[in-house]
Amino acid sequence: MDELKVGLVLSGGGAKGAYQVGVMRALAELGAQIDMVAGASIGALNGAIVASAGTPQEAHAHLAQLWDRLAQASPVEFHAFGYLTLLSSAGAALAPTRALEHVLKAARLTAAALDVDLPKSFDMLENSLASDVPLKVLMDEYLDPAALKAGLPLYVSLFGTEDPFDDLLRIASAEVGIEDTPASTYVHVQGLPESEQKAALLASAAIPVIYAAKTVNGRRYSDGGIGGWRTMQGNTPAGALIDAGCNMLIVSHLSDDSPWSRRDFPQVTVLEIRPQRVMSRDPSLLDHRDLLGFDPKRIPSWIEQGYQDTLVCAERVMRPGAARHALRESEKMLQAKQAQGIASEIRLADSIARMRRS
């Protein structure tokens, strides 16, 4: 029988990533085995914390500390025009994003014709609406490069990009059934130079237009959740762990209606943790707060929902598995003791034989 290798897959979903704190709490209580981790977007950032921890219990403790901090101070810091955070709802934001793009280009052409300099804020808007400095500060504080290097293998999904507005157009086309987005790329974080590891995590979470893309391995990448939009290939990067040798996956979704299907992966055993009720805390389709709502009103409820949902989805599976694991360990210990006893008997017999000869 093949050795069990369990991979944890953490989907993306912005502030709803708090749900994964509850998931880790439940998995730790249930004694889950985790051998590798893969994540997209906020799942990549959470995944880095999990991969760096020594145990699931430690992973939960570190995630809880981080998300308590996020609940008190949002990591989203906009350069200007905060109302444009509606861009985070990609399909709905398509018209304003294209309008913004035309305004920026027109402003630059006009400035060039008049030989005047534009304010620095225009450069900021052309690259991104928000600064990723708060995220960098959090990673410096909560993510130890040495612990990550020595930790569980971590894979993240990245989406090759050239223009953030085109990325939004691709998402809109996929949503209406015209053409799916290209697949995301899977990257082994510990296989990158240390100088690029945090860049890869930031790239995976770089929502188009909201955050600037990052360069990894000489190529520009943005939010890994964009790739393979119709099947959530990028946003739920199970393929990365299957390619790495996992034969069981624990998959945490951040959407109650994710189109990702375990039937697409018949070669592995899949335990899905799907929200048992809606994740949205605001019914408005145009509201961005479920994606960027890092606040003390939403985060605790998502954490508790993740905990309860995981118990429902996993407890009946994990507890028998833990019992079987304990039984196997007991058998190994018994075999070791038996082998030790046999060796002792051999040594005793040899000693007696030497005494008789003397």
Side-chain angles (χ1 to χ4, degrees):
M1 186 175 181
D2 293 338
E3 179 185 359
L4 183 65
K5 291 187 178 180
V6 182
L8 176 64
V9 183
L10 301 175
S11 295
K16 292 183 290 185
Y19 181 92
Q20 292 164 355
V21 181
V23 170
M24 280 308 306
R25 176 189 168 191
L27 291 179
E29 290 181 2
L30 292 166
Q33 172 184 335
I34 300 174
D35 299 302
M36 301 182 194
V37 184
S41 198
I42 194 67
L45 301 179
N46 283 342
I49 300 297
V50 174
S52 301
T55 64
Q57 291 78 9
E58 186 179 329
H60 166 251
H62 291 175
L63 281 176
Q65 292 173 5
L66 171 61
W67 280 87
D68 181 66
R69 169 80 169 272
L70 291 172
Q72 304 307 317
S74 172
V76 183
E77 182 180 285
F78 285 94
H79 294 306
F81 303 122
Y83 68 90
L84 287 173
T85 56
L86 287 174
L87 293 169
S88 62
S89 183
L94 194 57
T97 56
R98 274 304 180 193
L100 176 61
E101 180 185 24
H102 293 318
V103 168
L104 291 172
K105 288 183 177 179
R108 289 195 174 281
L109 289 172
T110 302
L114 298 176
D115 194 24
V116 298
D117 294 327
L118 289 171
K120 290 185 178 180
S121 58
F122 274 83
D123 291 327
M124 295 177 180
L125 281 172
E126 188 170 53
N127 292 314
S128 64
L129 291 176
S131 168
D132 57 16
V133 169
L135 285 176
K136 291 178 181 177
V137 170
L138 286 171
M139 282 201 294
D140 288 341
E141 183 174 349
Y142 288 94
L143 185 59
D144 180 2
L148 179 61
K149 181 179 180 180
L152 301 177
L154 172 66
Y155 296 83
V156 300
S157 60
L158 306 175
F159 185 75
T161 183
E162 294 182 1
D163 182 282
F165 299 101
D166 287 341
D167 294 342
L168 293 181
L169 274 174
R170 290 191 180 102
I171 294 172
S173 295
E175 280 284 349
V176 299
I178 297 175
E179 184 180 13
D180 200 4
T181 58
S184 287
T185 298
Y186 301 138
V187 174
H188 178 214
V189 174
Q190 288 96 336
L192 296 170
E194 188 172 314
S195 60
E196 291 191 2
Q197 291 178 6
K198 289 184 179 179
L201 298 177
L202 288 171
S204 187
I207 303 169
V209 180
I210 299 294
Y211 290 114
K214 300 295 177 185
T215 300
V216 179
N217 279 334
R219 186 178 179 188
R220 298 285 285 175
Y221 290 103
S222 64
D223 193 333
I226 297 174
W229 186 263
R230 293 183 187 174
T231 60
M232 296 289 103
Q233 173 268 339
N235 201 51
T236 308
L241 297 186
I242 295 173
D243 293 343
C246 287
N247 47 27
M248 178 177 178
L249 301 179
I250 301 172
V251 180
S252 168
H253 298 287
L254 295 182
S255 171
D256 44 280
D257 60 352
S258 171
W260 186 90
S261 175
R262 62 183 177 182
R263 295 182 179 85
D264 294 334
F265 306 94
Q267 69 273 44
V268 296
T269 301
V270 178
L271 170 62
E272 283 190 86
I273 301 170
R274 282 189 178 268
Q276 302 299 292
R277 58 186 177 86
V278 296
M279 287 287 287
S280 177
R281 297 299 184 260
D282 193 303
S284 172
L285 293 177
L286 298 180
D287 195 275
H288 65 278
R289 284 174 289 180
D290 281 338
L291 191 67
L292 303 176
F294 295 87
D295 64 62
K297 294 181 180 179
R298 294 165 180 263
I299 286 176
S301 69
W302 279 321
I303 293 175
E304 181 62 21
Q305 185 177 352
Y307 175 68
Q308 296 297 337
D309 287 349
T310 304
L311 292 180
V312 170
C313 297
E315 186 169 18
R316 286 178 294 180
V317 175
M318 298 303 301
R319 288 210 185 279
R324 288 194 296 273
H325 178 72
L327 180 59
R328 286 195 297 270
E329 291 300 311
S330 297
E331 290 174 346
K332 289 179 183 178
M333 291 177 62
L334 178 60
Q335 291 171 358
K337 288 181 179 180
Q338 288 174 340
Q340 185 178 12
I342 292 171
S344 297
E345 291 175 1
I346 292 173
R347 286 195 298 272
L348 178 59
D350 185 56
S351 298
I352 292 172
R354 287 198 301 271
M355 289 172 62
R356 286 176 177 172
R357 289 195 297 269
S358 62

